[in-house]
Amino acid sequence: MTDTADTKAPPLAPLRPADPRAAKAALLRRARELALLPALLLLIVLGAFVNDSFLTERNLISVLGASAALAMVVLAESLVLITGKFDLSLESVVGIAPAVGALLVLPAAQAGFGTELPAAAGLLAIVLVGAVIGAFNGLLVVKLKLNAFIVTLAMLIVLRGLLVGATEGKTLFGMPESFFTLATSTFLTVPVSVWLSAAAFAATGLVLKYHRVGRALYAIGGNADAARAAGIRVERVMLGVFVVAGTLAALGGLMQTGYVGAINANQGQNMIFTVFAAAVIGGISLDGGKGTMFGALTGVLLLGVVQNLLTLAQVPSFWIQAIYGGIILVALMIARVTTGRAQD
């Protein structure tokens, strides 16, 4: 009989210390996102000295209202970027989707198609146009394996041409009041568009953090082949992301329509630069697999405050674009330092 007293359990394997470089990189990435909060606070304090009207309730609500459409497009682009792809056509979706909805509703005498569909049908068409464009982009990128950057750049140009052709270069007026409701209706004095954008960011953030779909997006952006080997349906997920992105951009276009009060042939033009600026400074990696909705949202708010400050200071619009470009360059350099990796 074996003496159990003499039986010794095998020694436990020593715990491996965590990689200090990986821990440092994670800490730097987190600090990069949180660093936007004191930067935002600093800008707000600066704004109080630049212009007495900056901290008024009316102006702050105006900043939020003006940023709502941008926020929806940044959310859309961030989802695509997390998967390691690009979608440059979102800025054109902001223009073409609400324009199609308006043209279906407006009579021929007001430059419409003459179909004079009900307002509800026009609103549904806006969402469907965004989803269809996203699906088409997804099919070209996911199924045909075409380069996402080139495909969506081509779609940006095609959709811009279609918008100008469909509207004949005119500005569309006289849409039903429901086309403006998101921007004109308020809850607790804040536009509904702001509440909708905040809810969209909150819901997406929860999905990315706790749902398997969110984990799949990060896995695909980190290494699509490894994600596929782990059982993730990479093609299906990526196609869904493009559809969702197109839909969100269409909603952003509807918000922009309500904020401006009309639809012109240039709606959304050059918006993609601001979208990328907000996403990149918010910590969304251009390499894919990294970034949070909190960071992206703070990026939107930071740019919104910057634009408002520059406008109150009567800085010409072309300088605002130059400043946005400089912000992107600085953010890319910060990303290079925080990740320790060269960007492709």
Side-chain angles (χ1 to χ4, degrees):
M1 188 173 179
T2 305
D3 187 359
T4 55
D6 294 334
T7 303
K8 294 183 179 181
L12 294 174
L15 294 175
R16 294 183 179 181
D19 186 352
R21 290 176 299 179
K24 182 180 179 181
L27 182 61
L28 285 173
R29 285 196 299 269
R30 186 61 177 167
R32 178 186 168 196
E33 293 177 3
L34 296 178
L36 291 182
L37 292 179
L40 186 59
L41 181 61
L42 179 63
L43 284 174
I44 292 174
V45 173
L46 179 63
F49 288 98
V50 170
N51 194 297
D52 293 337
S53 63
F54 177 77
L55 285 180
T56 61
E57 180 183 357
R58 180 178 179 181
N59 185 65
L60 294 177
I61 291 177
S62 176
V63 172
L64 294 176
S67 301
L70 174 65
M72 294 298 283
V73 186
V74 170
L75 174 58
E77 190 67 60
S78 297
L79 290 174
V80 178
L81 288 174
I82 286 175
T83 65
K85 301 297 182 183
F86 294 85
D87 192 345
L88 304 180
S89 69
L90 294 178
E91 75 162 36
S92 292
V93 175
V94 169
I96 191 67
V100 169
L103 291 170
L104 289 172
V105 171
L106 292 174
Q110 292 180 266
F113 290 146
T115 52
E116 299 187 46
L117 295 179
L123 294 174
L124 179 60
I126 293 174
V127 177
L128 289 177
V129 168
V132 169
I133 293 172
F136 185 70
N137 286 336
L139 288 173
L140 293 179
V141 173
V142 176
K143 297 297 183 182
L144 296 184
K145 309 296 183 184
L146 300 182
N147 183 276
F149 185 91
I150 302 301
V151 165
T152 57
L153 176 61
M155 283 298 295
L156 181 153
I157 299 170
V158 169
L159 295 175
R160 180 63 54 192
L162 290 175
L163 175 59
V164 174
T167 61
E168 298 180 352
K170 301 176 182 177
T171 300
L172 302 178
F173 296 99
M175 283 82 72
E177 187 62 32
S178 56
F179 275 65
F180 312 121
T181 299
L182 290 179
T184 57
S185 297
T186 61
F187 176 70
L188 299 178
T189 72
V190 177
V192 173
S193 59
V194 175
W195 292 109
L196 180 59
S197 297
F201 267 89
T204 304
L206 291 174
V207 169
L208 289 176
K209 188 170 184 179
Y210 298 109
H211 199 274
R212 63 178 183 275
V213 173
R215 293 190 291 270
L217 294 186
Y218 286 114
I220 292 170
N223 190 321
D225 292 333
R228 190 176 290 106
I232 297 174
R233 297 182 177 180
V234 174
E235 288 73 19
R236 178 180 294 185
V237 173
M238 290 183 62
L239 181 60
V241 167
F242 275 99
V243 172
V244 170
T247 304
L248 290 173
L251 289 174
L254 183 60
M255 292 178 182
Q256 184 74 9
T257 299
Y259 184 77
V260 175
I263 302 172
N264 61 60
N266 295 322
Q267 180 158 305
Q269 189 168 4
N270 296 328
M271 187 182 195
I272 198 65
F273 301 117
T274 309
V275 169
F276 269 93
V280 171
I281 67 174
I284 304 295
S285 174
L286 297 179
D287 294 328
K290 299 183 183 70
T292 65
M293 292 302 101
F294 176 79
L297 181 58
T298 52
V300 171
L301 294 175
L302 187 71
L303 289 188
V305 171
V306 167
Q307 183 171 18
N308 184 256
L309 277 175
L310 295 176
T311 301
L312 290 176
Q314 298 182 342
V315 176
S317 59
F318 56 83
W319 284 116
I320 295 177
Q321 294 298 321
I323 290 171
Y324 282 172
I327 289 173
I328 294 177
L329 291 176
V330 172
L332 289 175
M333 288 186 285
I334 293 174
R336 176 66 176 89
V337 172
T338 56
T339 60
R341 293 170 50 196
Q343 293 185 337
D344 295 330

